[in-house]
Amino acid sequence: LKQLDSITQLDGEPHKPCYEEKSETNKKDLLLKNAPQVIGIAGMPKSGKDVVVDYIVANYRKVGRTVFSDYVISEVNTYLKENNFQHIITADNKSETIYRELLQDWGIGRFEERNTYWSDKIKEGVATMKKSSSFDIILITGVRLPSDFDMIEEIGGDMWRVQRPGNTYSVEHEIEDGCAERQVACIIEN
């Protein structure tokens, strides 16, 4: 991913440029000019969502990130510690089947208690980030549920989808493609 002009709308037309170069010599001066303040990032597992977000955060000024799974991991780890389990979930082990399934089931359980449980947590986090004035743009990753999409639209954000041509990942859990058919403002081919 070299620049964000690979973004296309669903109708196949090129999306309006999402950046303006302020300085030819300093790529850190790139600013996402036409982007909304909040952008939700969705996509199938292994599509490169984190690669795209890492690129944007590293190459554009005043871009912050918040992640749905961080809230789930934090809550699960609190439970594990309070109940004297020997292991906690980390960035290194969260993809292991046993931990991934625990996170998915915990996330769905909270969703079934209240379908806005996780989106409310993210909304609070975004509000705190906005108040800090440290960020012009906030990227939200881990968007999977219809309530997540709804919350992002409710707070004035756009949804972007990352797609990787040839990605043959087989969905292992219902939550992994819960919004695959949902309309988005931009598609990034990664």
Side-chain angles (χ1 to χ4, degrees), residues 134-148:
S134 298
F135 307 106
D136 290 334
I137 296 169
I138 300 167
L139 303 175
I140 303 171
T141 62
V143 179
R144 291 183 174 88
L145 300 169
S147 58
D148 304 342

Side-chain angles (χ1 to χ4, degrees), residues 70-85 87-89 102-103 106 110:
D70 287 351
Y71 291 88
V72 182
I73 291 169
S74 175
E75 195 170 290
V76 170
N77 280 339
T78 297
Y79 174 84
L80 293 174
K81 288 174 189 174
E82 288 174 354
N83 290 280
N84 299 315
F85 282 84
H87 300 280
I88 61 168
I89 300 172
L102 173 60
L103 292 170
W106 191 284
R110 288 294 195 196

